[in-house]
mmCIF file of all heavy atoms in Angstrom:
data_model
loop_
_atom_site.group_PDB
_atom_site.id
_atom_site.type_symbol
_atom_site.label_atom_id
_atom_site.label_comp_id
_atom_site.label_asym_id
_atom_site.label_seq_id
_atom_site.Cartn_x
_atom_site.Cartn_y
_atom_site.Cartn_z
ATOM 1 N N LEU G 246 -14.795 4.117 -7.583
ATOM 2 C CA LEU G 246 -15.445 5.272 -8.211
ATOM 3 C C LEU G 246 -14.352 6.119 -8.872
ATOM 4 O O LEU G 246 -13.595 6.744 -8.139
ATOM 5 C CB LEU G 246 -16.180 6.114 -7.154
ATOM 6 C CG LEU G 246 -17.105 5.347 -6.167
ATOM 7 C CD1 LEU G 246 -17.524 6.239 -5.019
ATOM 8 C CD2 LEU G 246 -18.327 4.810 -6.896
ATOM 9 N N PRO G 247 -14.190 6.116 -10.205
ATOM 10 C CA PRO G 247 -14.963 5.349 -11.177
ATOM 11 C C PRO G 247 -14.521 3.892 -11.215
ATOM 12 O O PRO G 247 -13.461 3.546 -10.689
ATOM 13 C CB PRO G 247 -14.619 6.056 -12.505
ATOM 14 C CG PRO G 247 -13.250 6.589 -12.307
ATOM 15 C CD PRO G 247 -13.171 6.970 -10.853
ATOM 16 N N GLY G 248 -15.334 3.063 -11.881
ATOM 17 C CA GLY G 248 -15.046 1.639 -11.986
ATOM 18 C C GLY G 248 -14.113 1.314 -13.148
ATOM 19 O O GLY G 248 -13.658 2.204 -13.883
ATOM 20 N N LYS G 249 -13.844 0.026 -13.301
ATOM 21 C CA LYS G 249 -12.815 -0.415 -14.245
ATOM 22 C C LYS G 249 -13.098 0.000 -15.695
ATOM 23 O O LYS G 249 -12.183 0.407 -16.417
ATOM 24 C CB LYS G 249 -12.682 -1.937 -14.171
ATOM 25 C CG LYS G 249 -11.494 -2.475 -14.947
ATOM 26 C CD LYS G 249 -11.289 -3.956 -14.695
ATOM 27 C CE LYS G 249 -9.961 -4.436 -15.260
ATOM 28 N NZ LYS G 249 -9.720 -5.852 -15.006
ATOM 29 N N GLU G 250 -14.367 -0.095 -16.137
ATOM 30 C CA GLU G 250 -14.665 0.233 -17.540
ATOM 31 C C GLU G 250 -14.327 1.684 -17.846
ATOM 32 O O GLU G 250 -13.754 2.000 -18.889
ATOM 33 C CB GLU G 250 -16.133 -0.067 -17.862
ATOM 34 C CG GLU G 250 -16.455 -1.548 -17.922
ATOM 35 C CD GLU G 250 -15.458 -2.345 -18.797
ATOM 36 O OE1 GLU G 250 -15.267 -1.947 -19.965
ATOM 37 O OE2 GLU G 250 -14.870 -3.328 -18.301
ATOM 38 N N LEU G 251 -14.668 2.589 -16.934
ATOM 39 C CA LEU G 251 -14.349 4.003 -17.166
ATOM 40 C C LEU G 251 -12.848 4.254 -17.076
ATOM 41 O O LEU G 251 -12.307 5.101 -17.803
ATOM 42 C CB LEU G 251 -15.108 4.903 -16.180
ATOM 43 C CG LEU G 251 -16.608 5.060 -16.452
ATOM 44 C CD1 LEU G 251 -17.228 6.026 -15.454
ATOM 45 C CD2 LEU G 251 -16.868 5.560 -17.878
ATOM 46 N N LEU G 252 -12.168 3.505 -16.218
ATOM 47 C CA LEU G 252 -10.706 3.665 -16.142
ATOM 48 C C LEU G 252 -10.056 3.225 -17.456
ATOM 49 O O LEU G 252 -9.096 3.847 -17.928
ATOM 50 C CB LEU G 252 -10.142 2.870 -14.966
ATOM 51 C CG LEU G 252 -10.511 3.435 -13.589
ATOM 52 C CD1 LEU G 252 -10.101 2.476 -12.490
ATOM 53 C CD2 LEU G 252 -9.853 4.799 -13.391
ATOM 54 N N LYS G 253 -10.601 2.161 -18.036
ATOM 55 C CA LYS G 253 -10.080 1.715 -19.336
ATOM 56 C C LYS G 253 -10.322 2.776 -20.411
ATOM 57 O O LYS G 253 -9.484 3.020 -21.281
ATOM 58 C CB LYS G 253 -10.749 0.389 -19.741
ATOM 59 C CG LYS G 253 -10.153 -0.806 -18.999
ATOM 60 C CD LYS G 253 -11.062 -1.999 -18.932
ATOM 61 C CE LYS G 253 -11.161 -2.790 -20.198
ATOM 62 N NZ LYS G 253 -11.966 -4.028 -19.950
ATOM 63 N N ARG G 254 -11.476 3.425 -20.343
ATOM 64 C CA ARG G 254 -11.797 4.483 -21.308
ATOM 65 C C ARG G 254 -10.828 5.675 -21.149
ATOM 66 O O ARG G 254 -10.318 6.214 -22.128
ATOM 67 C CB ARG G 254 -13.257 4.930 -21.092
ATOM 68 C CG ARG G 254 -13.716 5.994 -22.049
ATOM 69 C CD ARG G 254 -13.775 5.481 -23.468
ATOM 70 N NE ARG G 254 -14.166 6.547 -24.392
ATOM 71 C CZ ARG G 254 -13.905 6.515 -25.697
ATOM 72 N NH1 ARG G 254 -13.278 5.490 -26.245
ATOM 73 N NH2 ARG G 254 -14.279 7.506 -26.470
ATOM 74 N N TYR G 255 -10.597 6.083 -19.910
ATOM 75 C CA TYR G 255 -9.663 7.185 -19.614
ATOM 76 C C TYR G 255 -8.276 6.835 -20.159
ATOM 77 O O TYR G 255 -7.622 7.654 -20.816
ATOM 78 C CB TYR G 255 -9.632 7.393 -18.100
ATOM 79 C CG TYR G 255 -8.599 8.355 -17.558
ATOM 80 C CD1 TYR G 255 -8.620 9.711 -17.872
ATOM 81 C CD2 TYR G 255 -7.605 7.905 -16.674
ATOM 82 C CE1 TYR G 255 -7.677 10.589 -17.334
ATOM 83 C CE2 TYR G 255 -6.671 8.775 -16.133
ATOM 84 C CZ TYR G 255 -6.707 10.105 -16.467
ATOM 85 O OH TYR G 255 -5.784 10.973 -15.932
ATOM 86 N N TYR G 256 -7.860 5.605 -19.932
ATOM 87 C CA TYR G 256 -6.542 5.151 -20.407
ATOM 88 C C TYR G 256 -6.496 5.173 -21.938
ATOM 89 O O TYR G 256 -5.524 5.645 -22.540
ATOM 90 C CB TYR G 256 -6.255 3.742 -19.867
ATOM 91 C CG TYR G 256 -4.828 3.292 -20.088
ATOM 92 C CD1 TYR G 256 -3.839 3.556 -19.143
ATOM 93 C CD2 TYR G 256 -4.459 2.616 -21.253
ATOM 94 C CE1 TYR G 256 -2.529 3.153 -19.341
ATOM 95 C CE2 TYR G 256 -3.146 2.207 -21.466
ATOM 96 C CZ TYR G 256 -2.185 2.486 -20.501
ATOM 97 O OH TYR G 256 -0.881 2.101 -20.709
ATOM 98 N N ALA G 257 -7.557 4.676 -22.566
ATOM 99 C CA ALA G 257 -7.621 4.633 -24.037
ATOM 100 C C ALA G 257 -7.553 6.034 -24.638
ATOM 101 O O ALA G 257 -7.000 6.231 -25.723
ATOM 102 C CB ALA G 257 -8.902 3.929 -24.479
ATOM 103 N N LEU G 258 -8.097 7.016 -23.937
ATOM 104 C CA LEU G 258 -8.063 8.405 -24.428
ATOM 105 C C LEU G 258 -6.711 9.072 -24.166
ATOM 106 O O LEU G 258 -6.485 10.208 -24.566
ATOM 107 C CB LEU G 258 -9.186 9.228 -23.777
ATOM 108 C CG LEU G 258 -10.610 8.862 -24.219
ATOM 109 C CD1 LEU G 258 -11.645 9.586 -23.352
ATOM 110 C CD2 LEU G 258 -10.838 9.221 -25.696
ATOM 111 N N GLY G 259 -5.821 8.370 -23.455
ATOM 112 C CA GLY G 259 -4.486 8.918 -23.202
ATOM 113 C C GLY G 259 -4.247 9.317 -21.761
ATOM 114 O O GLY G 259 -3.178 9.835 -21.435
ATOM 115 N N GLY G 260 -5.225 9.104 -20.901
ATOM 116 C CA GLY G 260 -5.071 9.464 -19.483
ATOM 117 C C GLY G 260 -4.078 8.555 -18.796
ATOM 118 O O GLY G 260 -4.170 7.331 -18.902
ATOM 119 N N ARG G 261 -3.114 9.149 -18.135
ATOM 120 C CA ARG G 261 -2.105 8.354 -17.419
ATOM 121 C C ARG G 261 -1.962 8.773 -15.962
ATOM 122 O O ARG G 261 -1.308 8.088 -15.195
ATOM 123 C CB ARG G 261 -0.730 8.495 -18.111
ATOM 124 C CG ARG G 261 -0.665 7.907 -19.511
ATOM 125 C CD ARG G 261 -0.842 6.395 -19.498
ATOM 126 N NE ARG G 261 -0.755 5.833 -20.846
ATOM 127 C CZ ARG G 261 -1.789 5.683 -21.681
ATOM 128 N NH1 ARG G 261 -3.014 6.067 -21.303
ATOM 129 N NH2 ARG G 261 -1.620 5.169 -22.874
ATOM 130 N N LEU G 262 -2.540 9.929 -15.597
ATOM 131 C CA LEU G 262 -2.343 10.440 -14.236
ATOM 132 C C LEU G 262 -3.494 9.993 -13.338
ATOM 133 O O LEU G 262 -4.648 10.385 -13.543
ATOM 134 C CB LEU G 262 -2.251 11.971 -14.249
ATOM 135 C CG LEU G 262 -1.165 12.578 -15.156
ATOM 136 C CD1 LEU G 262 -1.174 14.105 -15.042
ATOM 137 C CD2 LEU G 262 0.210 12.023 -14.808
ATOM 138 N N VAL G 263 -3.163 9.152 -12.363
ATOM 139 C CA VAL G 263 -4.175 8.638 -11.436
ATOM 140 C C VAL G 263 -3.641 8.659 -10.010
ATOM 141 O O VAL G 263 -2.428 8.627 -9.781
ATOM 142 C CB VAL G 263 -4.585 7.181 -11.769
ATOM 143 C CG1 VAL G 263 -5.513 7.122 -12.968
ATOM 144 C CG2 VAL G 263 -3.369 6.283 -11.968
ATOM 145 N N THR G 264 -4.578 8.712 -9.066
ATOM 146 C CA THR G 264 -4.216 8.542 -7.671
ATOM 147 C C THR G 264 -5.282 7.717 -6.974
ATOM 148 O O THR G 264 -6.309 7.385 -7.587
ATOM 149 C CB THR G 264 -3.997 9.893 -6.960
ATOM 150 O OG1 THR G 264 -3.372 9.658 -5.698
ATOM 151 C CG2 THR G 264 -5.302 10.641 -6.750
ATOM 152 N N LEU G 265 -5.044 7.367 -5.719
ATOM 153 C CA LEU G 265 -5.981 6.537 -4.961
ATOM 154 C C LEU G 265 -6.358 7.221 -3.655
ATOM 155 O O LEU G 265 -5.512 7.869 -3.018
ATOM 156 C CB LEU G 265 -5.341 5.188 -4.627
ATOM 157 C CG LEU G 265 -5.144 4.203 -5.790
ATOM 158 C CD1 LEU G 265 -4.179 3.102 -5.396
ATOM 159 C CD2 LEU G 265 -6.483 3.618 -6.234
ATOM 160 N N GLY G 266 -7.615 7.058 -3.257
ATOM 161 C CA GLY G 266 -8.055 7.593 -1.971
ATOM 162 C C GLY G 266 -9.108 6.696 -1.357
ATOM 163 O O GLY G 266 -9.955 6.150 -2.070
ATOM 164 N N SER G 267 -9.026 6.528 -0.039
ATOM 165 C CA SER G 267 -10.019 5.688 0.643
ATOM 166 C C SER G 267 -11.260 6.485 1.013
ATOM 167 O O SER G 267 -12.297 5.917 1.298
ATOM 168 C CB SER G 267 -9.419 5.091 1.920
ATOM 169 O OG SER G 267 -9.194 6.122 2.871
ATOM 170 N N ASP G 268 -11.149 7.830 1.024
ATOM 171 C CA ASP G 268 -12.258 8.681 1.469
ATOM 172 C C ASP G 268 -12.690 8.282 2.880
ATOM 173 O O ASP G 268 -13.878 8.274 3.194
ATOM 174 C CB ASP G 268 -13.434 8.572 0.486
ATOM 175 C CG ASP G 268 -14.249 9.848 0.390
ATOM 176 O OD1 ASP G 268 -14.080 10.728 1.259
ATOM 177 O OD2 ASP G 268 -15.062 9.963 -0.547
ATOM 178 N N ALA G 269 -11.704 7.936 3.708
ATOM 179 C CA ALA G 269 -12.007 7.492 5.075
ATOM 180 C C ALA G 269 -12.518 8.657 5.912
ATOM 181 O O ALA G 269 -11.988 9.765 5.855
ATOM 182 C CB ALA G 269 -10.751 6.905 5.716
ATOM 183 N N HIS G 270 -13.558 8.393 6.676
ATOM 184 C CA HIS G 270 -14.057 9.355 7.658
ATOM 185 C C HIS G 270 -13.832 8.818 9.074
ATOM 186 O O HIS G 270 -14.185 9.457 10.051
ATOM 187 C CB HIS G 270 -15.540 9.637 7.436
ATOM 188 C CG HIS G 270 -15.824 10.432 6.183
ATOM 189 N ND1 HIS G 270 -15.612 9.941 4.910
ATOM 190 C CD2 HIS G 270 -16.286 11.702 6.017
ATOM 191 C CE1 HIS G 270 -15.954 10.868 4.026
ATOM 192 N NE2 HIS G 270 -16.359 11.936 4.673
ATOM 193 N N ARG G 271 -13.265 7.597 9.159
ATOM 194 C CA ARG G 271 -12.935 6.955 10.441
ATOM 195 C C ARG G 271 -11.539 6.354 10.296
ATOM 196 O O ARG G 271 -11.181 5.870 9.208
ATOM 197 C CB ARG G 271 -13.909 5.822 10.750
ATOM 198 C CG ARG G 271 -15.372 6.223 10.695
ATOM 199 C CD ARG G 271 -16.267 5.017 10.944
ATOM 200 N NE ARG G 271 -16.024 3.942 9.984
ATOM 201 C CZ ARG G 271 -16.631 2.754 10.016
ATOM 202 N NH1 ARG G 271 -17.507 2.494 10.968
ATOM 203 N NH2 ARG G 271 -16.363 1.827 9.112
ATOM 204 N N CYS G 272 -10.774 6.317 11.394
ATOM 205 C CA CYS G 272 -9.408 5.770 11.324
ATOM 206 C C CYS G 272 -9.406 4.353 10.760
ATOM 207 O O CYS G 272 -8.516 3.980 9.992
ATOM 208 C CB CYS G 272 -8.748 5.794 12.698
ATOM 209 S SG CYS G 272 -8.173 7.442 13.149
ATOM 210 N N GLU G 273 -10.408 3.556 11.132
ATOM 211 C CA GLU G 273 -10.402 2.149 10.694
ATOM 212 C C GLU G 273 -10.560 1.988 9.187
ATOM 213 O O GLU G 273 -10.301 0.912 8.657
ATOM 214 C CB GLU G 273 -11.490 1.374 11.440
ATOM 215 C CG GLU G 273 -12.891 1.796 11.078
ATOM 216 C CD GLU G 273 -13.899 1.458 12.170
ATOM 217 O OE1 GLU G 273 -13.942 2.185 13.187
ATOM 218 O OE2 GLU G 273 -14.638 0.495 11.996
#
Side-chain angles (χ1 to χ4, degrees):
L246 311 168
K249 189 172 191 179
E250 289 311 307
L251 286 183
L252 290 171
K253 282 158 76 174
R254 181 66 183 158
Y255 172 64
Y256 191 89
L258 291 171
R261 294 295 181 271
L262 304 181
V263 284
T264 192
L265 289 165
S267 68
D268 211 346
H270 290 67
R271 307 177 302 177
C272 283
E273 67 203 77

